[in-house]
Every structure is written in C-alpha cells, then in structure tokens.
Amino acid sequence: MGEPHESRIYSDLAHLYDSVFGRAFVDHEHEVLESLPFRPGHRVLEVGVGTGISLDAYPPYVHVTGVDPSAKMLAHAIDKTRENGWGHIDLREGDALELDFPDNSFDWVTSFHVMTVVPDARQMFAEMVRVCKPGGRIVVVSHFASAKPLLYLLGTIVNPVTKMLGWTTRLRWPDVLNGQKIKVERHERFSRWSVHYVVVARKEA
C-alpha cells in the first residue's frame, strides 16, 4: 500500500465517499464555515475539496476556488456546482504540496480532513500560508494525534490499518504548526470526546 493519499478511497471509491465519510464530516465543516466572518468579495481557497461536501456552506458573496488531486472526486464536486448553479465556485485539479497560485492570493485558505492524508502535512500547511494574504486566515479541520503517550501509542498501533484506508493517526499538531508564520487564534476539539480539531490562524504581516 502506498501513501495515504494514494488510497482507492480517493479514486475508485469516490462515488461512495459522501455516503460513507461525508456523513461523519459534513456537520463539522458546515459548523466551522458558518462561524467565519466572510465579507463580500473575499477570495477563498479550499485545499482538498474532494467531492465538495462543504461547498453549500460558503456564502454566495465570496469567490471560492477548490483544488483536489483526484479527478474522480473532483468530478462529483463539479456536478454539484452545476446542479446548484453555484457560479461563485471554481474547481480545478491541484496538488496541496505545490499550490499553483501566486503568493498572497487569498483572504481565506481552508482545508477539511486532508492534513492526515497528504505525505507531508507541514509542507501543505506552509503552502496554505504562502498563498494566503498577510492578515488573512488559514482554517483547518483535522484529526491530530493525542499528546498523551498512551493514546499516541494506541494511535501508532492502529496506524497501519488506517493508512490502508487512507489516512495516518500519527500526525501531531506541533509538527505542522510550530515555526509557521502565523498567529493561532483558535485551536480546540469539537467536543470533549472528539478526535477532530479546528484550527484558525492569521497569517502574520
């Protein structure tokens, strides 16, 4: 089995993604997006847009660009934009580790449940920071490994299985965020028992 991002879930099983994984993720993504202070004319980049389960939560007065490396998953997202007439959304293939946009291009850069899938989460986050405007914000929802040694050990034990399914359980948030040119404004779990965190960070001027 290759890296998590090469899992069949992100290609051959794209048509099942919404029903299998979307149900577990969509509420978190919508909750976060609806809490963000978007303003008319803001430019937003979503990295790893997948099948587009988050797209209906963006307000129509912002321009959203979504990128994903899986053509099959992206096709489902494109179908949604056409069916709903979302003219404010543009979707294209793209690599999270080498975003094809100039520095300082977007007011907001978002990503949901992608950090544990890519082979280099720190590089992905650095790219998100690079294309974000100074003073803009980067928003991430992801699973991060526990800082508690026993729980981290348990995550390590199950990691070979989760990698086969498409993600790692060994990613720790300091390995991604520390040393980046950001100020973290929000970093918390969705609930006491949740394994998913939301991170909102402002890019330093």
Side-chain angles (χ1 to χ4, degrees):
M1 179 61 63
E3 293 293 340
H5 68 295
E6 297 170 340
S7 169
R8 289 180 61 235
I9 289 174
Y10 306 103
S11 56
D12 295 354
L13 303 182
H15 63 290
L16 298 177
Y17 186 89
D18 282 14
S19 58
V20 176
F21 292 95
R23 293 179 183 274
F25 297 156
V26 68
D27 288 345
H28 286 166
E29 298 182 13
H30 284 212
E31 176 185 337
V32 170
L33 287 171
E34 290 166 4
S35 73
L36 301 178
F38 293 121
R39 295 181 180 178
H42 272 175
R43 297 188 67 212
V44 184
L45 173 67
E46 182 172 329
V47 181
V49 70
T51 60
I53 61 174
S54 64
L55 294 177
D56 60 338
Y58 289 100
Y61 51 78
V62 299
H63 183 271
V64 180
T65 300
V67 297
D68 199 275
S70 170
K72 291 185 178 180
M73 293 191 78
L74 202 59
H76 289 278
I78 292 171
D79 285 344
K80 290 174 185 175
T81 63
R82 291 173 178 169
E83 291 168 2
N84 291 280
W86 293 333
H88 61 295
I89 296 175
D90 172 49
L91 303 174
R92 63 186 76 174
E93 289 190 42
D95 183 353
L97 303 186
E98 295 183 26
L99 294 172
D100 190 22
F101 302 100
D103 297 356
N104 311 322
S105 294
F106 297 93
D107 302 284
W108 296 85
V109 184
T110 65
S111 184
F112 304 110
H113 305 286
V114 179
M115 284 283 168
T116 57
V117 174
V118 297
D120 189 340
R122 183 171 179 83
Q123 172 63 20
M124 173 182 165
F125 194 85
E127 278 290 277
M128 294 173 68
V129 173
R130 179 184 67 79
V131 301
C132 186
K133 295 178 181 178
R137 286 173 172 80
I138 302 98
V139 181
V140 171
V141 173
S142 182
H143 168 270
F144 287 111
S146 175
K148 297 179 179 180
L150 179 58
L151 293 179
Y152 183 75
L153 176 60
L154 292 175
T156 299
I157 292 172
V158 302
N159 192 62
V161 176
T162 63
K163 284 191 70 174
M164 292 179 66
L165 294 173
W167 66 89
T168 179
T169 56
R170 299 186 63 192
L171 182 64
R172 292 182 281 200
W173 69 263
D175 297 333
V176 176
L177 302 182
N178 284 0
Q180 303 278 9
K181 296 180 179 180
I182 58 170
K183 179 179 181 181
V184 176
E185 298 180 332
R186 181 183 176 190
H187 178 209
E188 60 191 10
R189 289 186 293 178
F190 282 95
S191 70
R192 181 179 179 182
W193 305 109
S194 178
V195 297
H196 295 115
Y197 289 77
V198 55
V199 176
V200 180
R202 178 170 54 83
K203 180 176 178 178
E204 295 177 350

